[in-house]
Amino acid sequence: MSATTVQSAPAASRHAFPDPGEGVPTISWPIVGIFTGAIAIFAFSTWAAVTDRLPVPVTILISAFAIFMLFTVLHDASHYSVSTHRWVNVAFGRVSMLFVSSLISFKSFAFIHIEHHRNTNDDANDPDHFISGAAWWQAPVRFPLMDVPYLTCLVRNVKRRPRAEVLETSFLMVASVAVIVTSAFTGHLWTLAVLYLIPGRVAMFVLAWWFDWLPHHDLEDTQQENRYRATRNRVGAEWIFTPLLLSQNYHLVHHLHPSIPFHRYVATWRRNEDAYLARDAAIGTVLGQQLDPHQYREWKRLNGKLARLLPVRMPRRSSARAAEFHSVPVASVDRLTEDSVLIRFAVPDELREEFSFEPGQHITVRTDLGGEGVRRNYSICSSATSDTLAIAVKLIPGGAFSTFAMTQLRAGDTLELMTPTGSFGTPLHPLAKKNYVAIVAGSGITPALSILQATLAVETESRFTLIYGNRDADSTMFRDELDDLEAQYADRLRIIHVRSRDPRHPAHLRGRVDHARLEQWLDSDLAAASVDDWFLCGPVEMVTDLRGRLIERGAEPNCVHVELFHGYETSRVADDFSPATIAVKLRGRQHEVLLAAGDTVLESALKAGLEAPYACLGGACGTCTAKVLLGSVAMEQNFALSQAVVEGGYVLTCQSHPTTPSITVDYDA
Ligand code: FES
């Protein structure tokens, strides 16, 4: 969105707060960790200085680093974001304050700091304006004196401060002066300077620079006038600057949501980025360039190329022992095409590990529509290297859930989501140099999109070709996202759009993705033997046809991965299979179940009231996978498990009939 568009946004939406989706934790363990680490570092540098183990400048820098860390604890404590227990914040704040500045009590500091938040950039009332409003040549002199305006502010407001707080601060000031004078008279002033006074000033210099100067200087709006433009984020090279600045490169998030602990700033920004940009949030790069929202989006797109040089988060499987449902709020519902929507979920912190996923996995959505339980399985379309969990839902005429998603589902609603399952993707390795091809049609793009994003991010030497069939441009899901990815990975990603009803599309790419067209690609630049892994997703006929042809043309069967949204209809004869007894291991418990003649293992488990996982019931999704520990079964159809997995003893329980009188299956394996 451009700045011009923003100006025309309705006043209400400009001033309503985006929901940060973050709260104060019972206890913030990262802050506890920083506090403990900083105290240990300070103790070490003190010991090293006293025993002459390290040169004086080195111990000064190490102590200054510890004080810098303790300021972050103090800062979060002053916003009561270390813990939901007030006394915990006060305890952490009081101890940290002694290291940062012994002249002011924690309560006085918290008061003055809140004055800064209330009056940011107001030269008369913002105590930090002493730093942020300084001319560039004054800044280095003012940085180490940052506590001077704090003391001035306190003196100005002394009459309205509680007596106990004033007494505490007065006592600290007197005690500090007494310690310095005593040190001078006893010949220990230099030791005190090396251990505490000089490191304190060095830390203050850096704190003033990073907490005040970088986020606030040169911004003209005050907090009262426009809170989105009184503070800025410094974007770029987050992999180094976020840990180095302890997240203060995203200081704007702190000013918008002061009670969020520092380690959640970047996640909060990413979750609400569109909402902040719609409010014309102030953004600068680490090199000092100021960006409006439109320029920021362009900058992000171009920097995607650089991003591949940076470390990325490796995809991880869900930590859940067996697939199970959780209530998860919907973060947003956005239209993709006329008949499809993108649903993003706001996964709560405590469920993040359970909802981590690998590329190509899917989730099952369960909801009650008009009193009827509905369960649908959707591939995750977001990248497994990101923090986002998203699915795309395409309208199926008469489809209960897809109609509901298109017409009624809204951000803030809650859905029951099963933890991710499935094994469509392949393991990724940062040093791999492979050649991948995905052939998909329609909503078959969803798992392929997740796979190609994660693959290109993790394997910086690998190449990816996407062949994507649709009716026309308008019905193409993720058209813009794919354009962006193609621009971002121009040298490694090739996208071939095949369109069946688009007269303006190039003639050689007009029609369906089928057997004949595959032959042409195989004969030109996609020789089956040169491709390491194939991913096929779309209508069952297309997928099975292409898979057969690829294997005939030399592709290794284990390297042709297929994902179907449903299997074939089967016509089972109950008498074909006998009754049996089944021991079902599920979520750490074992249950004995009787299986009636003709029932599948899954059916008998469900009839016995067990919450066994399932979704498609057609042998396509793999959600019902379990390991056979004892006995044997016959599967009617299997479109989800590779030969190697089946040989490992795994079966689709929705398709499995016992062929021995008793069996044991383990859903937790
Ligand atoms: S429930 Fe989908 S394969 Fe069994």
Side-chain angles (χ1 to χ4, degrees):
M1 186 177 290
S2 69
T4 319
T5 317
V6 169
Q7 280 165 10
S8 63
S13 72
R14 286 190 63 193
H15 297 291
F17 246 0
D19 176 5
E22 300 281 347
V24 177
T26 311
I27 181 86
S28 166
W29 291 110
I31 295 177
V32 174
I34 283 195
F35 178 81
T36 313
I39 297 285
I41 291 170
F42 193 87
F44 166 77
S45 56
T46 302
W47 168 80
V50 170
T51 57
D52 282 336
R53 299 294 166 117
L54 290 172
V56 165
V58 176
T59 63
I60 287 175
L61 286 179
I62 297 175
S63 297
F65 176 62
I67 294 170
F68 171 78
M69 290 167 73
L70 284 164
F71 180 81
T72 292
V73 180
L74 167 67
H75 183 233
D76 275 23
S78 70
H79 289 286
Y80 293 89
S81 51
V82 178
S83 166
T84 45
H85 300 290
R86 200 175 168 81
W87 68 268
V88 175
N89 293 283
V90 174
F92 275 98
R94 281 216 159 101
V95 176
S96 305
M97 189 74 239
L98 289 174
F99 288 84
V100 175
S101 173
S102 60
L103 295 172
I104 303 175
S105 71
F106 166 66
K107 290 282 179 73
S108 293
F109 171 83
F111 160 72
I112 301 163
H113 186 64
I114 298 306
E115 287 296 293
H116 159 61
H117 272 259
R118 290 194 320 129
N119 303 297
T120 312
N121 295 351
D122 175 345
D123 51 359
N125 297 306
D126 175 9
D128 290 39
H129 199 65
F130 174 74
I131 299 296
S132 57
W136 67 266
W137 55 270
Q138 294 173 327
V141 181
R142 291 193 182 190
F143 285 173
L145 303 175
M146 191 183 163
D147 42 3
V148 172
Y150 269 49
L151 288 168
T152 313
C153 175
L154 192 59
V155 169
R156 264 203 326 264
N157 290 281
V158 72
K159 288 209 175 108
R160 58 189 184 107
R161 300 310 303 150
R163 197 176 148 76
E165 179 193 308
V166 175
L167 282 176
E168 188 181 343
T169 295
S170 305
F171 169 77
L172 286 168
M173 284 181 183
V174 171
S176 300
V177 172
V179 168
I180 293 171
V181 171
T182 308
S183 312
F185 278 108
T186 56
H188 292 104
L189 188 56
W190 176 240
T191 307
L192 183 66
V194 168
L195 298 184
Y196 179 69
L197 299 177
I198 301 176
R201 289 303 111 183
V202 173
M204 192 85 57
F205 185 100
V206 177
L207 288 166
W209 181 16
W210 291 356
F211 273 71
D212 265 329
W213 175 265
L214 290 179
H216 297 301
H217 87 99
D218 272 355
L219 287 175
E220 286 173 5
D221 288 287
T222 66
Q223 186 80 4
Q224 313 283 344
E225 289 163 349
N226 186 344
R227 55 190 156 197
Y228 298 95
R229 297 204 56 81
T231 312
R232 68 164 73 77
N233 283 348
R234 292 271 180 185
V235 296
E238 280 80 358
W239 65 277
I240 177 71
F241 285 109
T242 301
L244 185 66
L245 274 68
L246 291 176
S247 301
Q248 300 311 322
N249 46 340
Y250 279 68
H251 201 70
L252 170 60
V253 175
H254 169 60
H255 270 253
L256 294 175
H257 314 287
S259 62
I260 294 177
F262 79 94
H263 50 93
R264 302 302 304 162
Y265 297 171
V266 179
T268 302
W269 170 265
R270 295 207 167 128
R271 187 176 307 123
N272 288 306
E273 188 174 87
D274 287 341
Y276 297 131
L277 295 180
R279 290 158 177 81
D280 198 19
I283 299 172
T285 68
V286 289
L287 299 177
Q289 185 188 4
Q290 304 307 302
L291 305 173
D292 68 25
H294 175 73
Q295 291 167 328
Y296 170 67
R297 288 198 165 100
E298 193 59 15
W299 173 90
K300 251 178 82 173
R301 196 176 69 77
L302 294 172
N303 275 271
K305 274 180 167 293
L306 281 177
R308 71 193 218 207
L309 300 172
L310 308 178
V312 294
R313 196 177 87 176
M314 284 299 287
R316 284 195 313 271
R317 287 187 88 77
S318 164
S319 64
R321 182 147 47 155
E324 57 187 335
F325 283 101
H326 295 280
S327 296
V328 179
V330 171
S332 62
V333 182
D334 296 306
R335 194 54 76 106
L336 277 175
T337 62
E338 223 177 32
D339 62 352
S340 64
V341 285
L342 175 69
I343 305 172
R344 290 192 189 88
F345 295 98
V347 179
D349 265 356
E350 61 275 17
L351 293 178
R352 277 184 203 279
E353 291 298 311
E354 301 215 19
F355 279 93
S356 60
F357 61 93
E358 290 186 332
Q361 289 202 296
H362 42 72
I363 49 176
T364 300
V365 182
R366 183 174 70 182
T367 188
D368 229 8
L369 296 179
E372 257 188 59
V374 171
R375 190 183 277 239
R376 295 287 183 271
N377 188 259
Y378 292 98
S379 291
I380 299 166
C381 57
S382 44
S383 173
T385 57
S386 73
D387 264 341
T388 308
L389 179 73
I391 57 174
V393 176
K394 193 172 173 87
L395 181 67
I396 295 173
F401 183 78
S402 61
T403 306
F404 166 74
M406 293 287 299
T407 57
Q408 293 177 44
L409 188 65
R410 297 281 177 271
D413 292 350
T414 297
L415 292 174
E416 291 284 298
L417 293 194
M418 188 188 281
T419 47
T421 56
S423 52
F424 183 36
T426 57
L428 299 176
H429 192 285
L431 299 181
K433 186 175 183 177
K434 293 168 92 177
N435 190 12
Y436 300 95
V437 177
I439 308 180
V440 303
S443 56
I445 184 62
T446 49
L449 182 63
S450 179
I451 290 171
L452 81 83
Q453 290 179 95
T455 303
L456 292 169
V458 172
E459 297 186 354
T460 56
E461 293 292 310
S462 291
R463 307 173 70 81
F464 211 108
T465 301
L466 171 69
I467 298 171
Y468 184 16
N470 279 289
R471 217 173 38 242
D472 51 32
D474 288 343
S475 64
T476 302
M477 295 165 75
F478 298 108
R479 190 171 51 158
D480 294 342
E481 288 80 356
L482 290 170
D483 285 349
D484 287 350
L485 284 168
E486 208 173 17
Q488 184 179 342
Y489 297 107
D491 52 337
R492 298 190 293 133
L493 172 63
R494 181 166 62 133
I495 300 178
I496 301 173
H497 287 283
V498 180
R499 291 183 178 144
S500 59
R501 286 191 225 156
D502 188 343
R504 288 164 304 162
H505 204 54
H508 68 288
L509 294 175
R510 221 179 294 147
R512 292 187 181 281
V513 178
D514 58 13
H515 192 110
R517 211 171 288 273
L518 176 65
E519 295 286 354
Q520 289 170 12
W521 288 314
L522 291 175
D523 288 336
S524 54
D525 55 347
L526 279 187
S530 69
V531 177
D532 294 284
D533 284 284
W534 298 84
F535 301 98
L536 309 178
C537 187
V540 62
E541 295 77 13
M542 178 195 101
V543 167
T544 48
D545 182 34
L546 296 185
R547 180 173 191 274
R549 191 66 202 125
L550 283 171
I551 292 170
E552 275 174 39
R553 291 289 301 264
E556 178 62 39
N558 280 336
C559 298
V560 184
H561 312 275
V562 300
E563 179 82 335
L564 296 173
F565 294 143
H566 54 81
Y568 287 113
E569 288 294 322
T570 57
S571 52
R572 289 190 273 114
V573 181
D575 295 342
D576 284 355
F577 300 100
S578 311
T581 55
I582 319 178
V584 178
K585 291 190 172 183
L586 180 65
R587 294 184 194 99
R589 296 184 58 193
Q590 180 157 321
H591 312 265
E592 302 299 322
V593 170
L594 283 180
L595 178 141
D599 276 359
T600 63
V601 172
L602 176 69
E603 283 167 341
S604 56
L606 295 176
K607 280 182 185 171
L610 302 184
E611 276 275 330
Y614 72 92
C616 73
L617 295 176
C621 70
T623 307
C624 62
T625 302
K627 187 170 188 177
V628 178
L629 302 180
L630 193 78
S632 62
V633 302
M635 275 195 283
E636 290 186 48
Q637 57 182 355
N638 165 26
F639 297 104
L641 305 181
S642 69
Q643 190 54 34
V645 172
V646 173
E647 282 166 8
Y650 291 90
V651 297
L652 301 173
T653 55
C654 75
Q655 301 295 311
S656 295
H657 300 273
T659 52
T660 52
S662 61
I663 63 166
T664 301
V665 293
D666 187 354
Y667 281 96
D668 300 340

